[in-house]
Amino acid sequence: LAAPASPTPAAAALRRALLFSGFEPPPRVTRLIEASAAQGALDDLDSASADFEATVRRLRDAAGFSGSPAWHDPSGLPWAGALEAAAPAIRAELLSVQEQQAEDAASWGGADYEAIAAEWRIFHLWKDGAWLPEAVARYPQTVALLRRLEASHGLRLNPLQNVACGFARQPPGSGIAPHCDGNLLGLTCHLGLRVPAGEECWIEVGGERRRWREGQLLLMDTTQTHSTRNGGECDNDTALLSERPPAPSLTFPGSLSCRCDRDILMLNVLRPELDAGELEAFAHYLRAPPLRLLALNPGWLSVPSGALCCAPSGEEEGREEGGAVRLLPAGPWLPQRPQGGTDGVVRFEPLSDRWCRVPC
């Protein structure tokens, strides 16, 4: 969430002006940029910690999502009904692939934060804005359906979320410890495909616990603290037989050697109130390099009077003479190309976060 910039208002303003070429981004984006700059980087925070939860809450408020409940009603989404109706077909394709092909452990990834979700697994269908070739080959019907929902029903997957669309599996006796996600732009959807019987197969968000149910869509805000558990009993009508026996500590009446995994289709979709322009601005800001002007390298810069300092003294000693200048966060920094001459602009080549080389 926090871009790699110094957590000061001046640095944030300079970065925003540079990245958006002097134009003011949408208000929601501006508020989040200012809040993230004041907060500093989140990379060193533990997503299972109270500090991380408090940080995400402040940024969620700044982005205008403070009223977001833990659980949302999916019935208002134009694609929800069609996705639930297709659940039997999606489930059938998932189980068919598992029956016909040997389990390929390498194709199922795990959680980035393994300590809180050691056994959770994901098979990605869509990532970084594109459908994955392996997913198209292995699950063609499911991918075709989701593509139709994108094209004609308004499904908007979140390109900034690492896990945006895929099959998620939670083995019996496992769970995910309480934590919260840092992505503010999306809501998380779970479509139950294969769910063990009983009340001990659940997900809890914001202190409210709900069960997955086959064919039912759950919609939730996982920037709030959430956790999961698969402690349900096997149902032989829905379980897939496996050579792998259940864990010795688990006893499921009548389960024999059945595998009681919980399988869902998981999606992260953009919040309905987020428009395309805001998403583009967020993506541009978050994916930009640090404040070294590298996004504009080389380029032309409109330089206000007094904004460039060329006096080599003190910490500037050792810098290359006749071209290395220090950038000061003052005035309207407007990246631009010269039109009809070069009056008022200089060509620059970034060297570091504070220095660039310009012809003198």
Side-chain angles (χ1 to χ4, degrees):
L1 292 176
S6 175
T8 67
L14 170 59
R15 177 178 172 80
R16 188 168 68 247
L18 286 170
L19 295 181
F20 292 100
S21 299
F23 293 96
E24 191 67 19
R28 191 193 308 275
V29 180
T30 298
R31 292 195 303 269
L32 187 54
I33 290 174
E34 292 173 347
S36 62
Q39 181 64 50
L42 300 184
D43 294 343
D44 58 345
L45 292 182
D46 183 344
S47 66
S49 70
D51 286 344
F52 187 87
E53 191 277 334
T55 297
V56 170
R57 183 174 62 251
R58 285 192 291 269
L59 295 177
R60 187 172 61 233
D61 292 349
F65 304 133
S66 58
S68 176
W71 292 97
H72 291 244
D73 182 3
S75 62
L77 299 173
W79 47 268
L83 185 59
E84 287 186 331
I90 297 173
R91 167 191 157 88
E93 185 172 52
L94 175 65
L95 297 185
S96 175
V97 170
Q98 292 179 0
E99 290 172 346
Q100 296 173 15
Q101 302 180 12
E103 280 287 303
D104 182 6
S107 64
W108 286 74
D112 291 337
Y113 190 175
E114 188 175 354
I116 65 170
E119 298 185 66
W120 179 86
R121 293 293 180 266
I122 180 76
F123 183 92
H124 293 281
L125 300 175
W126 186 92
K127 200 170 185 180
D128 297 327
W131 296 99
L132 302 179
E134 184 181 1
V136 175
R138 186 174 293 198
Y139 301 104
Q141 296 180 39
T142 299
V143 172
L145 165 73
L146 293 170
R147 279 176 159 165
R148 288 196 299 272
L149 295 183
E150 281 187 306
S152 59
H153 289 73
L155 173 63
R156 298 193 304 162
L157 297 174
N158 186 353
L160 301 183
Q161 173 68 3
N162 181 46
V163 181
C165 182
F167 291 118
R169 174 171 298 161
Q170 187 169 320
S174 69
I176 301 178
H179 70 289
C180 59
D181 300 337
N183 182 12
L184 301 173
L185 306 187
L187 297 174
T188 299
C189 302
H190 287 180
L191 177 66
L193 298 176
R194 183 174 54 168
V195 180
E199 295 299 318
E200 291 304 313
C201 189
W202 48 259
I203 177 169
E204 183 174 300
V205 184
E208 182 179 344
R209 183 175 297 182
R210 297 189 182 183
R211 286 197 72 250
W212 294 284
R213 301 188 186 279
E214 294 179 5
Q216 178 180 318
L217 188 68
L218 297 177
L219 181 64
M220 66 210 83
D221 186 346
T222 52
T223 64
Q224 302 188 36
T225 300
H226 57 285
S227 58
T228 70
R229 175 70 178 169
N230 177 10
E233 296 180 353
C234 280
D235 182 340
N236 284 325
D237 292 331
T238 61
L240 184 65
L241 294 180
S242 170
E243 295 179 359
R244 174 168 62 90
S249 60
L250 300 176
T251 56
F252 297 128
S255 66
L256 300 178
S257 60
C258 71
R259 177 165 152 188
C260 307
D261 291 334
R262 181 236 58 195
D263 287 330
I264 60 172
L265 176 67
M266 185 167 70
L267 306 92
N268 191 271
V269 299
L270 294 171
R271 293 177 184 266
E273 59 267 48
L274 190 77
D275 64 40
E278 290 174 323
L279 174 64
E280 184 178 356
F282 271 124
H284 178 67
Y285 179 76
L286 295 176
R287 290 171 173 168
L291 184 56
R292 297 180 181 176
L293 309 183
L294 297 181
L296 311 167
N297 181 16
W300 299 83
L301 191 66
S302 174
V303 182
S305 176
L308 293 179
C309 175
C310 297
S313 62
E315 67 174 26
E316 291 94 276
E317 288 183 4
R319 290 288 176 179
E320 200 174 315
E321 295 183 3
V325 298
R326 182 157 58 94
L327 299 182
L328 304 179
W333 297 78
L334 302 177
Q336 56 185 270
R337 294 182 180 276
Q339 298 180 359
T342 58
D343 291 343
V345 297
V346 294
R347 184 176 175 85
F348 64 84
E349 177 187 351
L351 299 177
S352 72
D353 58 345
R354 292 178 300 156
W355 293 82
C356 73
R357 182 184 292 112
V358 297
C360 293

